[in-house]
Amino acid sequence: MVSSASRLSRRALLLGGLAGAALPALTHAGAGMPVPASGPIRRIVSMDFGLAETLIEMGIPPIAVPNPEAWGTWVVEPELPPDIINIGTDREPNLELLSALKPEMIVSTPYLAGLLPLLEPIAPTRTYSVYAPPGGQPYKSSVQATREMARDIGAEAAGEALIARAEAEMAHARRRLAETGANRMPVLVLTFFDARHVRVYGAGSLFGDVMEQCGLINGWPETSNYWGFNTIGMEQLAPVRATRLLCLEPISPDTRAELAASPLWNSLSVVRSGHVQIIPPVLMFGMLPAAMRFARQLVLNLADGKTGNGRIDG
């Protein structure tokens, strides 16, 4: 595959996202985890970007994550602390370094369940699930996961404050999109693998959930997988009658150049009408911080006057 999006492996795709709420928490020490009387647990290692962004927004950033160099490409916001420690990859973390860090807790996801026997001897390990099967409600599951993780680390007030901020962000976006009539336009959200293949986000994705929260019409009519997306050939977009098209970064220069010259891309009705916007990266497997970032992009691009020209090359 050609694009930078195509180089995002399944591991990296899930890096930001199998975070959340539905499965029972697992710990090295058993079902309960007493919170220190001195306050919230602070020395936390996050094996997942979605959990990490949530901790940052709660004011308790993790001390270490896998692959921090990928944060600026796929997450961006909130900013990763500059002193964050790189523990390697999520599937092959540096266990000696992890042990030397002496974390009070490790937070992880069902995607990494195979690592539990390695992580649990190092520190109590809690698992949260948003995107594991059956999936389908990532926003709601993110709220639940935020609440559970906040309880587990002794930061319930910070967790509730984050949930309240997310609800306020959704309400603001819903109001602005209704005021401008943007909520009457079917919107299609996609990422590019290359000039011929895209991932389209439908019901059950974080983006689809946010669109629903914001009162928007999702222009993708097909049933999606349990992660809420379909990977399709570009020709399958031809019959879709979306009024606006939002294309998530990153998009490789090669893909941009091929799309600019592509008869198929340029024949799409939404492209011909000039209603295409390129929007900054948002973590597709994120939690409430990613949901808020995406809601802000919806307002900026659909309600606040930012317009596209239908050209993927700018």
Side-chain angles (χ1 to χ4, degrees), residues 21-22 26 28 52 65 104-105 107 123 184 188 193 198 227 229 249-250 254 258 265 295 306 313:
L26 302 173
H28 155 67
V65 296
E104 297 173 85
M105 183 189 293
V107 295
R184 297 192 294 270
L188 206 61
F193 278 103
V198 296
W227 289 325
F229 62 77
E249 293 273 22
D254 288 348
E258 289 182 48
W265 168 257
K306 183 176 179 181
D313 60 350

Side-chain angles (χ1 to χ4, degrees), residues 53-73:
E53 67 176 3
T54 303
L55 288 167
I56 292 169
E57 286 288 358
M58 288 197 295
I60 306 174
I63 60 173
V65 296
N67 296 317
E69 68 279 359
W71 188 274
T73 301

Side-chain angles (χ1 to χ4, degrees), residues 91-115:
R91 298 310 298 259
E92 296 183 350
N94 184 328
L95 298 177
E96 290 184 0
L97 176 57
L98 262 178
S99 183
L101 291 174
K102 301 186 182 305
E104 297 173 85
M105 183 189 293
I106 300 170
V107 295
S108 188
T109 73
Y111 175 64
L112 299 174
L115 290 179

Side-chain angles (χ1 to χ4, degrees), residues 4-172:
S4 59
S6 70
R7 292 192 291 271
L8 186 62
S9 66
R10 183 175 182 275
R11 176 204 58 75
L13 281 172
L14 295 173
L15 194 71
L18 294 182
L23 298 185
L26 302 173
T27 73
H28 155 67
M33 181 177 291
V35 176
S38 58
I41 291 172
R42 292 286 177 178
R43 294 191 62 79
I44 303 169
V45 170
S46 177
M47 299 300 297
D48 171 81
F49 277 6
L51 295 171
E53 67 176 3
T54 303
L55 288 167
I56 292 169
E57 286 288 358
M58 288 197 295
I60 306 174
I63 60 173
V65 296
N67 296 317
E69 68 279 359
W71 188 274
T73 301
W74 303 107
V75 186
V76 182
E77 183 187 14
E79 185 177 353
L80 198 63
D83 59 349
I84 198 83
I85 296 169
N86 183 352
I87 55 170
T89 69
D90 60 341
R91 298 310 298 259
E92 296 183 350
N94 184 328
L95 298 177
E96 290 184 0
L97 176 57
L98 262 178
S99 183
L101 291 174
K102 301 186 182 305
E104 297 173 85
M105 183 189 293
I106 300 170
V107 295
S108 188
T109 73
Y111 175 64
L112 299 174
L115 290 179
L116 287 177
L118 302 176
L119 299 177
E120 289 177 334
I122 295 173
T125 302
R126 304 287 275 191
T127 297
Y128 309 91
S129 170
V130 168
Y131 295 97
Q137 293 183 303
Y139 185 89
K140 180 180 178 181
S141 295
S142 293
V143 170
Q144 183 180 343
T146 299
R147 191 164 278 142
E148 289 183 357
M149 186 163 62
R151 179 201 64 206
D152 291 343
I153 67 175
E156 290 93 335
E160 292 303 320
L162 173 55
I163 292 168
R165 291 201 306 275
E167 294 296 324
E169 195 78 63
M170 299 304 119
H172 169 73

